[in-house]
Amino acid sequence: QVQLVESGGGLVQAGGSLRLSCALSGSSFISTSVMGWYRQAPGKQRDVVAQININSGGSVDYDDSVKGRFIISRDSATNTVYLQMNSLKPEDTAMYYCRVVGMVKTHIAPGVYWGQGTQVTVSS
């Protein structure tokens, strides 16, 4: 089983900060092409927050709602992706999921893999 271990969620007041981590170390990944974060609030669809296009020059994409507030980064040595979230708003409250596109040992083609989710709650 492919496991992406997420951490860093919690309860924070509006205007505060959190840093999410998604660790791929110890997993079966051979290579990764995209690493990113999605979020989903109850009753709503899962939407992209930010992602790094590793095989496209390392370009970074952000949803308009988080531009200027969130920063995605990665540590290639440890295969860990981070999401630094600043100036948090109540509207940011959601379950945040790590998403990775890559190759694993047990499959012959690239696949999409998800973390278990970490809850972020921003109080007003």
Side-chain angles (χ1 to χ4, degrees):
Q1 183 181 7
V2 177
Q3 296 278 27
L4 310 181
V5 182
E6 299 182 28
S7 63
L11 175 65
V12 66
Q13 292 182 312
S17 298
L18 288 172
R19 190 179 78 153
L20 307 183
S21 299
C22 177
L24 277 61
S25 59
S27 74
S28 60
F29 279 96
I30 299 171
S31 63
T32 56
S33 59
V34 183
M35 302 179 75
W37 293 92
Y38 283 63
R39 65 186 179 186
Q40 185 172 28
K44 297 184 178 181
Q45 67 180 12
R46 190 173 298 185
D47 297 321
V48 64
V49 177
Q51 62 184 16
I52 301 173
N53 304 296
I54 299 169
N55 290 347
S56 300
S59 63
V60 177
D61 299 320
Y62 292 99
D63 183 77
D64 287 341
S65 67
V66 305
K67 285 182 178 178
R69 299 190 297 121
F70 291 9
I71 302 171
I72 188 170
S73 62
R74 64 185 283 261
D75 184 339
S76 60
T78 60
N79 267 341
T80 302
V81 63
Y82 304 94
L83 185 67
Q84 179 66 47
M85 305 185 294
N86 302 314
S87 301
L88 283 162
K89 305 175 181 179
E91 306 92 89
D92 296 318
T93 296
M95 186 73 75
Y96 284 70
Y97 297 90
C98 180
R99 175 183 181 270
V100 176
V101 180
M103 289 287 296
V104 298
K105 295 178 180 178
T106 55
H107 291 74
I108 61 173
V112 180
Y113 302 90
W114 295 90
Q116 82 284 358
T118 184
Q119 179 67 39
V120 172
T121 302
V122 184
S123 62
S124 61

